[in-house]
Amino acid sequence: MVSEVLKPDLAEPGRVQEKAPPDRKPEPTGRATFKIWRGDATRGELVAYTTHVSEGMVVLDAIHQIQAEQANDLAVRWNCKAGKCGSCSAEVNGMPKLMCMTRLSDLDLTKPVTVEPMRAFPPLRDLVTDVSWNFEVKRSIAPFTPRPPDAPDGTWRMAQSDVDRVQEFRKCIECYLCQDVCHVLRDHQMHDRFIGPRFLVYAAALEMHPLDVADRVPALKEKHGIGYCNITKCCTAVCPENITITDNAIIPLKERVVDEYFDPIGRLVKIFSRKSVR
Amino acid sequence: MAQYDTLDHDVLIIGAGGAGLRAAIEAASMGARVGVVCKSLLGKAHTVMAEGGVAAAMANVDDRDNWRVHFADTMRGGQYLNNWRMAELHAKEAPARVRELEAWGALFDRTPDGRILQRNFGGHRYPRLAHVGDRTGLEMIRTLQDHGIHRGLDVYMECTVVRLLKDGDRVAGAFGYDRERGRFRLWRAKAVVLATGGIGKSFRITSNSWEYTGDGHALAYDAGAELVDMEFVQFHPTGMVWPPSVRGLLVTEGVRGEGGILLNREGRRFMFDDIPENYRAQTADNEEEGWRYVIGDKTARRPPELLTRDHVARSIVREVREGRGSPHGGVFLDIAWIKRRLPNAPEHIRKKLPSMYHQFKELADIDITAQPMEVGPTTHYMMGGVRVDGDSQMSTVPGLFAAGEVAAGLHGANRLGGNSLSDLLVFGKRAGEFAARFAQERPAVRVDEREADAAIHEALAPFERPSNGAHGPYQIQDELQDFMQDLVGIVRNEADMRRALERIDRLRGEASRVAVSGHREYNPGWHTALDLRCMLIVSEAITRAALERKESRGAQFREDFPEKDPEYARFNIVVRKGSDGRMELDRRPIPALPAELAAVIEEMK
Ligand SMILES: Cc1cc2nc3c(=O)[nH]c(=O)nc-3n(C[C@H](O)[C@H](O)[C@H](O)COP(=O)(O)OP(=O)(O)OC[C@H]3O[C@@H](n4cnc5c(N)ncnc54)[C@H](O)[C@@H]3O)c2cc1C
Ligand code: SF4
Ligand code: SF4
Ligand code: FES
C-alpha cells in the first residue's frame, strides 16, 4: 500500500550527492592539518599531521585516520562515537569538546586544528589523561538511600513531574568536560577541597531524588567545598548533555546549605515536609 | 622475562557492563572477594549505549502481560532454538530485577499512576520495555556502577585479559595487561565470570565500539569451553547510513515503537508487503490499525515495522537490492509524519527520543521532527556465545561462568529488542551468585607460572618483529571487517563463506607476523594487534557454523537455502577447539520442552 505520508523530500541541496557506492569508504573531499599533543606524564609537544577529510567527518574520525595511517601508537579514549559514553573528551582549538560530536565542517580547516588532552587532569599519554580522581570523589558522596517502599509489593509511586528534574541530572555521561573547564580545578588545582561541577550535579541528583532520605548538605559545605563555586557558569556552557549545571543543580544545593546553616529551623521544616509528605 | 603483579580473588569478573556489574554486586553480597576487570573506564561499557529499554513483563501498561507471554514471545523470536530454561527464568525474573534497580536509585519514565512506564518494541506482544527516554542503558549502567562502588569491589579499569588460566580442568584465573602502562597482571581466582559482551568489530558496518572484538568468546574457546549458535549474528535493521563517518551507528527501535514508519524511495510503506506467516495473526494489516496500536489501543495489532529485526533487516535489503532504496543505499525511517496525528508531535518526539533527535541533528544535519532519516542494517548483537547451564550460567569448563551478550541460549536464532538489558540483569545476578557459591565450595587454585610467561612472550612478540610496512594491525583488521561484511553478512551462501574461510586462514598467518612500533603505554596499535587473534577465532566460528546450518532461520539467511528446514529445528550447532587445535563442530540436539512450557507456547500461538 502506498502510504498516506507524502513522499520523503529528497531535494536537499548539499546532502544528497552523486550516489556513492553505498558500502565503500567515502571519497576524500580535501585535506586538513591537525596539531595533536603527543607526550607522556613528563613532557609533550604538538605534532602536526595532515590527513584527508570527507563529508560528515568529526574530529575523532580524523584522529582515528591518523592513528591508522601515520601514528599507530597515538593514544585516545573513545567508545560509542555518538556522544553517549563520555570517553572522548579533549580540547579542540582550546575548547573542551567531545571529539566524536565535533564536526570538521564546524571548524576552520584553513588553519591547523589543535587537539589537546583535558588540562585539568594529569596527562598519561597523548590525548589520554588520568581521571581516576573523579572516581574517588564519587565514592566519597553518600550513596542513594531510599525511603521504605510505598506499596506492599515493595515498589514506589512517583509522578513523572517529580522525576523530570532529576532525570536531567542523570543524563550526565561523565565526560568531565565541566571539571576540565572549572577554574577552581583547572587553575587553582583544588582537587582536594572541591568536588567540581560533575559531582555537584551527582549530589543534586541524589538530594532531589524523590525517594532519597540521606542528608548530604553538611558534607557539601565542608569536605566537598561547594562554597568554592562562584557561579561563573563555565561548566554549564560546555556540558554536551545540556545540563543546566549551575542554575538547576548548584544554586539549589547552595540554597540548601544556606538554609541548613543559617536557618536551621527552616531547614528542619523543609526536611520534614520533603521526607514525609508523600 | 617481564614482571607481573599477582592479585587474589574468590571471583573474578571480566567485564563491567550490565552483566559484569550485576554479577559483581551479587557475588560481593554473598561475601566473596570480587575483582572486576574492564578494558575501558568504569561506566563506559557498551551497556551505556543501549537506548530503547529493558524488557520485563511487569504489566504496568497492559495488564494482560505476564511471564508466560514474555516467554512465548522470546521463544517465537528465537525460532525455538533458545535454551528454554533460560527463556523461562528470564521471563519470570526480569520484573524483580528491574524493580531492584529502582531500589538502587534508577529513575524510569512513569505511568500516570506513578509506576514504571513501558513501551512497545518489536516482537513483544504488549508494551513491555521499561525505559528512560532513549537512554535506558545509561540509567542502568550508572545505577549499577553507583551501587557497586559501595560494595567493596576491586575494579581494574583499562585492563585487557588475554588468556584464561587453568588448574587441571578448572579455571584458575586470568592473565592480562593494563592499557595505561602496559604492565602485566595475573588475577588468581576460584571462579571467573565472563561478561565481555559481543563481537561486532568483526564486521565493517556495526553499531559496536572498539571493545567488541569477541575477547570473551575467544578466551572461552581457548580454555576449552563450548560455543553455541555462533551463526546467529543480529543485523539491526536501522543503523545510520549517512554521512559515511557515522555509518552503522544505531537508530533505536524506539523510533518505530513511537510510530516511526519505513518507506522506500517511492514513498511506499513496504513493510506491509511481506508479513511472515507466524506473525500474521498479531500484525496490523492497515495503517489505521498500526497507529491505533502505537497510541495504546488494546484491540489493535502491531504495525509491521515492529516485526522481528531479522525480518525487517531483510525487507530493507530487498528494497535496496531491487532499486527502491534511498540515495545512500538505505531506506527512509519517518517519525515526523506523526504530526498529522498528534498536536504537539515535534515536542513529543524530542521528549521520547531525545538522543536520536540530538544524534541526527548534530551528526547528519537532519531534524527528525521534520525530515525522514535514512537507515540501513548494521551489525548489532551476537546471539551466539559461550554455552552455559541455564540455571547457573556455568560453561562446560568448571568454574568458568558467562553472562550477558557473551553467553548464548536465551535468544536462540534472533534476539528481541529489550531482551538484552533484562538478560544482563537476570543472568548477571545468577552468574554472580553461582560463581560465589562455586568459589565457597572449592579449594584454592594453583596457577602455573609458565602459562604467564608464555602469555607475556606472546603479547610482546609484535614489538620484536621487523615491520612489514603495509600490513599493520589496522590494515589487517580492516581487511577482515571488509570481507566478513561482504561474504558472511546478512545474505549468505556456500561459495562466499568458503572464500571467507580461506581468507581468515591467510589473515591468521599475517596476524602472527604483525609488527608494532612504539612503547607499551596506551598504545592502541599494539592493542589492536593483540585483538586480532580473538577476532579471527570468532570470525571463523561464525563462518563455520553458518556453513553448517543449511537453511534460513532467524538471523541467518542463506540465499542458497532460503527456506526454513524443520530438520534444523532440532539442534544447536556447537563449536569447540579440538585436541589438534582445530575448530570442531557438533550438532547438539535440543532437549524436549517440558509439557508445561510447551502448553504455554501452544496457548500463545
Ligand atoms: C547502540 C546500542 C543500543 C542498544 N540498545 C539496546 C536496548 O535498547 N535494549 C537492549 O536490551 N539491548 C540493547 N543493546 C544491546 C545491549 O546494550 C548489549 O547487548 C549489552 O549492553 C551487553 O552488555 P554486557 O554486559 O554483556 O557487555 P558490555 O556492556 O559490552 O560490557 C562488556 C565489558 O567487558 C569488558 N571486556 C571485554 N573484553 C575484555 C577483555 N579482554 N578484558 C577485560 N575486559 C573486557 C569491556 O571493557 C566491558 O566492560 C544495544 C546495543 C547497542 C550497541
Ligand atoms: S559555575 Fe562553579 S562549578 Fe561551574 S565552572 Fe563556575 S565555579 Fe566551577
Ligand atoms: S555534567 Fe555535563 S559536562 Fe559534566 S560530566 Fe556530566 S555530561 Fe559532562
Ligand atoms: S566516543 Fe562516546 S562520547 Fe565520544
Side-chain angles (χ1 to χ4, degrees):
Chain A
M1 100 192 30
V2 170
S3 171
E4 60 173 83
V5 180
L6 292 177
K7 228 170 125 161
D9 178 15
L10 303 183
E12 276 199 62
R15 220 173 48 76
V16 180
Q17 299 199 321
E18 79 286 11
K19 207 167 140 191
D23 279 6
R24 289 297 149 202
K25 281 173 190 144
E27 290 302 311
T29 55
R31 296 175 78 73
T33 299
F34 294 82
K35 284 186 160 173
I36 304 172
W37 192 88
R38 306 277 331 248
D40 57 21
T42 55
R43 76 186 93 91
E45 59 181 349
L46 289 173
V47 179
Y49 300 92
T50 299
T51 191
H52 51 271
V53 171
S54 52
E55 189 178 344
M57 255 171 89
V58 294
V59 172
L60 186 63
D61 293 320
I63 299 285
H64 279 154
Q65 223 163 261
I66 291 165
Q67 189 184 55
E69 292 166 4
Q70 306 176 46
N72 279 190
D73 60 352
L74 171 57
V76 58
R77 282 195 182 104
W78 69 283
N79 281 288
C80 68
K81 226 177 151 298
K84 293 189 166 74
C85 72
S87 302
C88 65
S89 307
E91 299 184 6
V92 178
N93 286 341
M95 295 294 293
K97 292 277 189 197
L98 295 178
M99 287 186 280
C100 70
M101 296 302 281
T102 308
R103 297 271 296 268
L104 293 186
S105 55
D106 294 335
L107 301 172
D108 177 2
L109 298 182
T110 61
K111 290 186 290 213
V113 175
T114 59
V115 186
E116 297 166 274
M118 288 192 285
R119 290 302 183 191
F121 304 111
L124 275 175
R125 234 328 144 176
D126 306 338
L127 300 175
V128 175
T129 57
D130 180 356
V131 291
S132 55
W133 170 79
N134 292 286
F135 291 88
E136 287 157 30
V137 169
K138 190 181 235 186
R139 239 203 338 237
S140 74
I141 297 169
F144 175 67
T145 317
R147 70 175 184 236
D150 301 337
D153 64 354
T155 61
W156 288 269
R157 299 289 176 271
M158 289 178 263
Q160 184 64 41
S161 55
D162 289 334
V163 305
D164 276 341
R165 179 163 67 158
V166 181
Q167 282 185 335
E168 179 193 2
F169 305 145
R170 293 183 66 89
K171 286 193 306 189
C172 171
I173 55 173
E174 302 200 327
C175 64
Y176 307 132
L177 289 173
C178 56
Q179 307 285 74
D180 183 46
V181 83
C182 176
H183 67 105
V184 184
L185 300 172
R186 187 184 179 99
D187 301 331
H188 306 292
Q189 294 284 316
M190 293 172 78
H191 295 73
D192 55 340
R193 273 166 286 173
F194 179 58
I195 58 176
R198 158 58 190 138
F199 294 105
L200 293 173
V201 168
Y202 178 64
L206 290 164
E207 281 288 295
M208 299 178 201
H209 192 298
L211 305 184
D212 184 80
V213 294
D215 182 7
R216 296 169 191 81
V217 170
L220 281 168
K221 178 170 186 290
E222 304 299 336
K223 69 175 174 177
H224 295 153
I226 191 172
Y228 288 108
C229 163
N230 56 347
I231 321 198
T232 59
K233 304 199 184 185
C234 312
C235 49
T236 307
V238 300
C239 177
E241 285 292 309
N242 297 316
I243 301 171
T244 321
I245 303 175
T246 334
D247 290 359
N248 289 357
I250 300 180
I251 293 175
L253 286 182
K254 278 177 174 274
E255 282 167 3
R256 288 186 188 208
V257 171
V258 170
D259 286 356
E260 187 149 322
Y261 283 86
F262 305 102
D263 180 13
I265 305 287
R267 170 69 177 169
L268 268 183
V269 172
K270 273 195 191 162
I271 293 181
F272 184 74
S273 51
R274 179 158 71 100
K275 296 190 169 162
S276 62
V277 159
R278 287 187 189 95
Chain B
M1 197 32 87
Q3 295 293 304
Y4 55 87
D5 292 337
T6 301
L7 304 137
D8 269 299
H9 295 283
D10 296 322
V11 177
L12 181 74
I13 316 259
I14 307 177
L21 288 172
R22 188 63 191 81
I25 289 168
E26 197 63 20
S29 78
M30 295 179 59
R33 292 168 308 148
V34 179
V36 180
V37 192
C38 53
K39 295 203 282 192
S40 293
L41 296 171
L42 197 54
K44 311 293 184 197
H46 242 79
T47 301
V48 81
M49 291 173 230
E51 296 166 351
V54 43
M58 297 187 289
N60 288 356
V61 170
D62 193 319
D63 56 16
R64 291 172 297 179
D65 204 9
N66 58 52
W67 78 263
R68 300 158 77 240
V69 190
H70 194 181
F71 167 77
D73 286 351
T74 303
M75 294 293 292
R76 185 185 304 109
Q79 307 264 355
Y80 306 103
L81 293 187
N82 322 52
N83 174 329
W84 45 259
R85 177 63 176 158
M86 285 174 77
E88 176 192 6
L89 290 170
H90 169 255
K92 285 181 172 164
E93 294 176 6
R97 295 286 83 76
V98 170
R99 292 195 191 105
E100 180 174 76
L101 288 181
E102 186 149 280
W104 296 344
L107 278 177
F108 292 100
D109 288 353
R110 319 306 299 179
T111 61
D113 66 345
R115 293 182 298 165
I116 295 175
L117 181 61
Q118 300 184 268
R119 72 156 47 121
N120 293 318
F121 237 57
H124 293 281
R125 180 173 288 197
Y126 303 119
R128 190 178 282 147
L129 270 69
H131 60 278
V132 187
D134 53 5
R135 56 162 190 85
T136 313
L138 170 66
E139 188 69 12
M140 201 167 114
I141 199 167
R142 202 64 85 228
T143 301
L144 292 169
Q145 173 191 348
D146 294 351
H147 187 73
I149 56 175
H150 297 284
R151 293 288 164 302
L153 313 172
D154 290 315
V155 182
Y156 306 93
M157 295 196 280
E158 302 200 303
C159 289
T160 304
V161 168
V162 292
R163 120 170 15 204
L164 295 176
L165 304 172
K166 290 182 73 181
D167 178 357
D169 285 342
R170 236 182 111 179
V171 77
F175 192 82
Y177 61 89
D178 84 73
R179 294 163 46 80
E180 272 176 19
R181 312 223 185 258
R183 289 169 306 205
F184 292 103
R185 299 224 168 118
L186 188 159
W187 293 273
R188 192 160 40 204
K190 293 203 260 182
V192 172
V193 179
L194 288 171
T196 50
I199 59 95
K201 272 288 142 183
S202 284
F203 293 83
R204 177 166 13 93
I205 300 174
T206 177
S207 62
N208 296 171
S209 83
W210 68 270
E211 290 204 317
Y212 269 23
T213 45
D215 301 7
H217 293 75
L219 292 168
Y221 171 84
D222 273 337
E226 289 180 349
L227 307 180
V228 66
D229 294 339
M230 292 298 283
E231 66 274 35
F232 297 117
V233 177
Q234 180 166 77
F235 299 94
H236 193 291
T238 59
M240 288 176 82
V241 298
W242 191 260
S245 81
V246 296
R247 182 155 197 141
L249 217 63
L250 194 74
V251 180
T252 175
E253 190 165 319
V255 175
R256 284 169 284 142
E258 298 295 341
I261 56 175
L262 290 165
L263 303 171
N264 65 17
R265 72 181 313 146
E266 294 153 9
R268 184 179 175 81
R269 196 167 164 189
F270 59 86
M271 286 307 300
F272 278 111
D273 295 349
D274 172 24
I275 297 169
E277 192 52 52
N278 57 340
Y279 280 95
R280 201 155 292 161
Q282 310 185 351
T283 308
D285 55 15
N286 65 77
E287 298 201 337
E288 197 50 45
E289 183 179 5
W291 173 250
R292 283 194 286 115
Y293 177 88
V294 169
I295 54 174
D297 179 343
K298 292 184 181 176
T299 64
R301 296 168 299 172
R302 281 198 291 270
E305 276 82 4
L306 292 178
L307 285 163
T308 53
R309 289 175 176 179
D310 51 339
H311 180 74
V312 181
R314 273 197 299 279
S315 302
I316 293 175
V317 169
R318 179 194 67 217
E319 292 303 305
V320 174
R321 283 197 168 184
E322 293 174 7
R324 294 186 297 272
S326 65
H328 301 103
V331 294
F332 294 100
L333 171 60
D334 190 11
I335 180 80
W337 81 277
I338 65 170
K339 61 177 172 255
R340 300 169 157 238
R341 304 290 185 130
L342 287 182
N344 51 354
E347 200 182 307
H348 177 79
I349 295 169
R350 279 194 296 268
K351 166 83 191 157
K352 281 301 186 184
L353 302 162
S355 61
M356 279 307 104
Y357 175 75
H358 194 63
Q359 182 171 312
F360 274 88
K361 191 98 190 141
E362 304 276 318
L363 296 175
D365 298 320
I366 298 261
D367 175 356
I368 66 168
T369 68
Q371 295 161 281
M373 302 159 244
E374 259 188 277
V375 296
T378 180
T379 315
H380 184 55
Y381 183 88
M382 185 56 173
M383 270 74 72
V386 181
R387 197 168 84 84
V388 292
D389 169 66
D391 287 82
S392 69
Q393 299 289 290
M394 191 158 88
S395 72
T396 45
V397 172
L400 180 63
F401 298 76
E405 192 167 338
V406 66
L410 172 59
H411 311 294
N414 177 45
R415 172 180 75 97
L416 300 186
N419 266 2
S420 170
L421 292 185
S422 43
D423 171 9
L424 311 183
L425 296 172
V426 169
F427 295 106
K429 173 183 184 289
R430 282 186 165 266
E433 175 187 335
F434 283 88
R437 209 184 281 174
F438 183 95
Q440 276 162 8
E441 288 165 0
R442 306 298 155 109
V445 283
R446 269 188 317 256
V447 295
D448 184 345
E449 306 232 318
R450 281 169 308 181
E451 270 201 82
D453 290 340
I456 292 177
H457 182 75
E458 204 174 287
L460 294 180
F463 285 111
E464 279 140 31
R465 299 185 189 122
S467 158
N468 66 346
H471 264 80
Y474 293 101
Q475 285 71 32
I476 297 179
Q477 193 188 45
D478 268 4
E479 188 180 334
L480 177 70
Q481 291 167 342
D482 278 351
F483 75 71
M484 284 302 286
Q485 183 82 33
D486 294 343
L487 305 177
V488 200
I490 304 188
V491 178
R492 299 168 171 171
N493 67 55
E494 172 106 19
D496 280 356
M497 292 196 283
R498 295 262 167 237
R499 279 201 292 147
L501 282 181
E502 282 163 25
R503 297 187 65 177
I504 289 170
D505 223 34
R506 194 169 50 67
L507 272 195
R508 185 171 287 129
E510 291 193 13
S512 69
R513 292 188 296 275
V514 73
V516 297
S517 59
H519 45 78
R520 272 160 59 187
E521 281 177 22
Y522 223 110
N523 182 342
W526 178 40
H527 303 161
T528 302
L530 298 182
D531 293 342
L532 293 173
R533 231 192 82 257
C534 299
M535 298 176 73
L536 285 161
I537 291 174
V538 166
S539 301
E540 180 179 349
I542 293 170
T543 312
R544 287 196 187 281
L547 271 167
E548 177 76 7
R549 184 170 287 281
K550 295 185 182 9
E551 66 154 354
S552 295
R553 177 185 299 270
Q556 150 117 329
F557 182 72
R558 297 256 325 231
E559 56 191 352
D560 44 354
F561 298 96
E563 300 301 323
K564 226 185 309 197
D565 178 348
E567 196 47 40
Y568 283 83
R570 292 186 221 259
F571 56 85
N572 299 104
I573 295 169
V574 164
V575 172
R576 79 170 103 66
K577 192 171 183 171
S579 46
D580 59 357
R582 285 175 199 253
M583 201 169 274
E584 280 177 0
L585 266 64
D586 185 20
R587 296 181 171 194
R588 194 68 51 84
I590 297 172
L593 272 169
E596 181 203 330
L597 295 180
V600 172
I601 287 177
E602 201 43 49
E603 177 195 337
M604 303 289 165
K605 267 209 167 121

